[in-house]
Structure formats: structure tokens, C-alpha cells
Amino acid sequence: MLFLTFLISVSMASQDLLKKCYLEQFTIGDPEVKIQIYFEDHIVKNHKIEYECLEFIISRGYYKVALSLYENYFLLNHIDITDRIVQFLKNDKYLNQREMQTLFKLAMAKSNQVQVVQPVVQWAQSKNATFINIKFSHRQDAPACLNAKLEVVEIKNDSLLIEAFGIVSHIPFKYRYAIKLYKPIDPTSSYEKVESVGTMYVNLTKIEPVLWLRLTEEDYKTPIWWDLKDNFRKDMEEFAQMLEKESERKERNADKQAKKNQKKRDQEKQKQTSQKAQEAKRQLEYEHNQCYKPGKCEIGWYQRQ
């Protein structure tokens, strides 16, 4: 009788867990893809997922689903379950699985070990607005991080800050883009918008309707978003002319600076030559004077001349 009561209580507990994990339709032997779809759907809907659900699907052998759930829900939402999952995975039964080894390494990684990278950025402009295209990737020719989660967007009068968190090939990345803008903008009418997966778009409304020479206060080059040339043809063509003139100006300045540096080197060389000549003259005068002192000069100065 007691054993039967125990079995009933275990069964009821399992049913409660299945319901809590949104897996009421779950049956032993269901394919992983089915379980994966369940959780992806609830993650998209921002449903809360309990830690016990992660242990449950691991214990049922759905290792790929567990790794995906850990990355796309617990890790991306900064839900710290490190101690619990590490203790659970210390069972050799689980650590023999490749996906669980990856999950274990991710869980052991501390937040200060997350690599911070600047995303790939392009920009364009009209006289009234500046447009920024951001791809959450560590380089231009690499694909965007598909699960990048936007965490910080700060659009201020003179600056822009974007931060996102994502996982690429089971490696966590923090994407951070912080700049001082070339000229002031109006934050109240500026906005950001998530575009295709792993990218976003920022529209900054200018206070003064003029073309900017560059995007940032600092003088470093951000790639131009030429894909928008057809949208703002007149302004972008004028912008291209500005860039060409600026390039010519910098080239002229570089030539002037090169000539100035060469002149400085020539003057320094001339100065060194003059100093060497004076030093040689002083040495000759010293030797001449020494030769007129008794016992100081074995070979007369005039003889050596």
C-alpha cells in the first residue's frame, strides 16, 4: 500500500513538472526536434522557464535541446544557475556527452571572461538625419550572431551606446558600440529598430540640417553605408564629394607635413655636421697647444700636419 502511494505521488510530481515545463504532450521517445520547438516557442513568448526543466530534459537524454535552452534562455537572460548545473553535470553519465561538455564549460565561464567586441557598423546620412546599420558580428565577412539580445540602447544629445549579448559557436560575446557623435542630435525624435536577425538600424535626427564630415567626434573612419545612396541620392552624392575633397585636403596636408619633416631632418643633419666640424677643430687646437708643453708631445704637431 505504501509503495503504491509512493508511485502515485511520483507520478503526480512528474505531471506537475511536465506542466511547469510546458511539456504536457511530452512522451518518452519523442524526437528532439519536437521538444526543441516547444521550448523555442515559449522562449519567443517570454514565458518563464524553471531550472528544473533543464535538469528534466537532460535526464531524459535530450542533450542538444538542453544546450540550446541553456544558451538561448538562461545564459542570454543572465539567469545565474552556475552552481546548480555544474553540480548536476558532475555526474560522469552526462559529461561523456559532447553537448553536456560544452554546457559545462559555458556554465563554468565567469562574466568577466566574456569577450567584448565592437559590432560591424556602417553609416549614411541625409541633411536631416544620420543612419547607422549595426551587425552583431566581430568582423564584416562573418555571419551575424543569430541569437544576439539587445540589452542597452542609449541615444543622447551627443552620444550613442549600444550593447548586446549573444553566443557564437557556443562562445559568449558582448557586443558594445559607444561613440561621441560628430554633431548634436535630437534624442526625442531619434529611434532604433531591430532589422533582420542579428542586425539593427538607428535613425538619428539632426538638430542642424547639414551634412556631417564624419560620424564620430574622433577622427577615425567608419565605413559608409552606400546601399542607402538611392534613398537619398542628392545628399549622398554631395556627401561623396565632401569625402573626396577631405581626402584631397588630407593628402595635401600629408605632403606638407612630409616636406616639413624632411626639412627638419635636413636641418638636424646640418646641425650635427656643424657640431662634428667644431668638435674636430677643437680637438686639433687642443693637440696643437699640448705639443708646446715640454714632454707632452712625442711627435710635433707640425710634423703630424
Side-chain angles (χ1 to χ4, degrees):
M1 186 66 179
L2 290 175
F3 181 67
L4 180 60
T5 304
F6 172 74
L7 288 179
I8 293 173
S9 64
V10 169
S11 178
M12 290 178 64
S14 297
Q15 289 299 320
D16 289 342
L17 183 58
L18 289 174
K19 186 176 181 179
K20 184 186 292 187
C21 299
Y22 315 105
L23 292 172
E24 297 94 330
Q25 302 176 23
F26 173 83
T27 57
I28 299 297
D30 274 351
E32 277 197 316
V33 65
K34 183 178 179 180
I35 310 300
Q36 182 76 36
I37 291 171
Y38 284 156
F39 282 113
E40 286 178 354
D41 182 55
H42 291 291
I43 288 173
V44 169
K45 292 178 180 177
N46 293 319
H47 289 170
K48 183 178 180 181
I49 300 175
E50 301 291 343
Y51 166 74
E52 289 78 7
C53 301
L54 182 60
E55 286 192 357
F56 179 74
I57 59 176
I58 291 175
S59 66
R60 291 300 185 272
Y62 293 100
Y63 303 123
K64 291 181 180 178
V65 179
L67 178 57
S68 175
L69 179 60
Y70 179 74
E71 290 183 340
N72 295 308
Y73 181 74
F74 292 98
L75 202 55
L76 282 180
N77 288 292
H78 301 292
I79 300 173
D80 188 5
I81 59 171
T82 302
D83 293 339
R84 297 174 72 179
I85 194 63
V86 167
Q87 187 63 35
F88 181 76
L89 289 178
K90 282 184 177 179
N91 187 327
D92 291 339
K93 168 186 173 183
Y94 299 128
L95 285 182
N96 288 333
Q97 305 297 324
R98 184 184 61 184
E99 293 85 2
M100 295 301 94
Q101 291 173 4
T102 302
L103 198 160
F104 185 82
K105 290 177 182 177
L106 279 171
M108 290 295 288
K110 302 301 181 183
S111 59
N112 61 0
Q113 293 176 322
V114 175
Q115 186 176 355
V116 179
V117 297
Q118 179 170 300
V120 175
V121 176
Q122 294 177 307
W123 78 293
Q125 63 174 320
S126 67
K127 283 188 170 67
N128 296 312
T130 292
F131 317 104
I132 304 176
N133 182 48
I134 299 175
K135 182 174 80 167
F136 295 112
S137 175
H138 60 289
R139 67 174 191 271
Q140 181 66 48
D141 59 348
C145 176
L146 300 182
N147 59 9
K149 183 173 182 179
L150 198 59
E151 295 185 329
V152 177
V153 178
E154 290 183 2
I155 301 176
K156 296 183 179 179
N157 176 264
D158 62 346
S159 64
L160 173 67
L161 172 62
I162 304 289
E163 289 186 354
F165 182 74
I167 301 165
V168 180
S169 299
H170 308 303
I171 300 174
F173 284 92
K174 181 177 182 179
Y175 299 95
R176 189 174 193 275
Y177 183 59
I179 58 171
K180 285 284 186 180
L181 295 168
Y182 182 62
K183 288 192 174 184
I185 55 102
D186 179 11
T188 58
S189 58
S190 301
Y191 63 92
E192 80 283 350
K193 181 172 66 173
V194 175
E195 293 283 277
S196 58
V197 177
T199 65
M200 69 176 294
Y201 164 84
V202 183
N203 187 310
L204 304 176
T205 303
K206 296 177 179 178
I207 291 179
E208 184 183 3
V210 295
L211 293 177
W212 295 0
L213 184 59
R214 55 183 181 269
L215 174 61
T216 67
E217 184 180 65
E218 299 80 10
D219 189 12
Y220 69 84
K221 190 174 181 180
T222 303
I224 309 301
W225 192 10
W226 290 115
D227 289 348
L228 290 191
K229 187 173 182 179
D230 291 337
N231 301 52
F232 308 96
R233 183 171 295 277
K234 184 178 178 181
D235 289 343
M236 288 295 285
E237 286 179 352
E238 186 177 339
F239 178 40
Q241 293 173 3
M242 285 177 59
L243 293 177
E244 186 176 352
K245 290 180 180 178
E246 177 66 8
S247 178
E248 292 173 353
R249 184 190 68 80
K250 286 185 176 180
E251 189 174 344
R252 288 195 300 271
N253 288 345
D255 289 341
K256 288 181 181 178
Q257 187 62 43
K259 291 178 181 178
K260 185 177 179 180
N261 291 341
Q262 185 60 49
K263 183 178 179 181
K264 186 176 180 180
R265 286 194 295 268
D266 292 342
Q267 289 175 342
E268 186 65 27
K269 186 176 180 180
Q270 186 178 3
K271 181 179 178 181
Q272 290 176 358
T273 302
S274 176
Q275 287 176 344
K276 287 180 180 179
Q278 291 177 6
E279 182 64 28
K281 183 178 179 181
R282 284 194 294 270
Q283 183 64 26
L284 286 174
E285 290 176 348
Y286 171 79
E287 292 179 356
H288 173 267
N289 293 334
Q290 287 294 99
C291 285
Y292 282 97
K293 294 179 181 180
K296 295 290 184 179
C297 190
E298 297 179 358
I299 304 175
W301 180 79
Y302 289 106
Q303 290 177 310
R304 283 188 276 121
Q305 293 300 309

